[in-house]
Amino acid sequence: MYVACAVVKIVIPGSYSLKDRRRVMLGLTSTIGKGPHIAAVDLSPDGTHNLGILGVTTISNALHHAVELRESALRTLDRDGRFEVVDIETEEIRMEGGRPGFNMPGREEPQM
């Protein structure tokens, strides 16, 4: 199983309150999170009014499919004119047997 993640930093110029920022972030998380095998969450710090941090995660049995799902979700950000994307960090994680770190050197398999 593969997990493809992204952390997206955005600036929301029209946001002058926490409520404004949360409204934009809620719209993003609900739009992106509609897809199968995709989750989106607002990771923004509470003290900021116009900085948003969005976490996006996709899961698949094939790495190329997980990455494709993530990239498709990130492309939806280009269609929204309420904010500007400042930075995107991505990472892919391979999980053996459904558990991260399974069969890694120095770690024993848990007994069931």
Side-chain angles (χ1 to χ4, degrees):
M1 177 170 55
Y2 295 91
V3 179
C5 309
V7 175
V8 182
K9 292 182 183 177
I10 63 172
V11 173
I12 309 163
S15 175
Y16 300 104
S17 69
L18 188 59
K19 186 176 180 179
D20 290 342
R21 189 207 68 213
R22 286 185 176 161
R23 186 177 304 124
V24 171
M25 296 303 288
L26 180 61
L28 283 174
T29 57
S30 63
T31 301
I32 291 174
K34 284 181 184 177
H37 312 288
I38 300 174
V41 65
D42 179 5
L43 301 172
S44 308
D46 281 338
T48 61
H49 295 161
N50 61 356
L51 172 67
I53 301 175
L54 179 71
V56 178
T57 304
T58 62
I59 299 174
S60 180
N61 289 331
L63 177 61
H64 68 88
H65 187 241
V67 171
E68 181 181 311
L69 287 170
R70 179 191 64 205
E71 297 305 314
S72 175
L74 294 177
R75 278 192 297 274
T76 63
L77 299 176
D78 293 336
R79 296 183 216 139
D80 197 324
R82 297 177 292 175
F83 56 85
E84 177 185 340
V85 175
V86 177
D87 186 37
I88 299 176
E89 294 181 31
T90 61
E91 184 174 354
E92 295 81 30
I93 303 166
R94 181 175 184 227
M95 298 177 70
E96 295 275 341
R99 295 183 300 273
F102 180 68
N103 287 342
M104 290 180 64
R107 295 180 78 177
E108 297 297 321
E109 180 179 346
Q111 298 298 319
M112 305 224 178

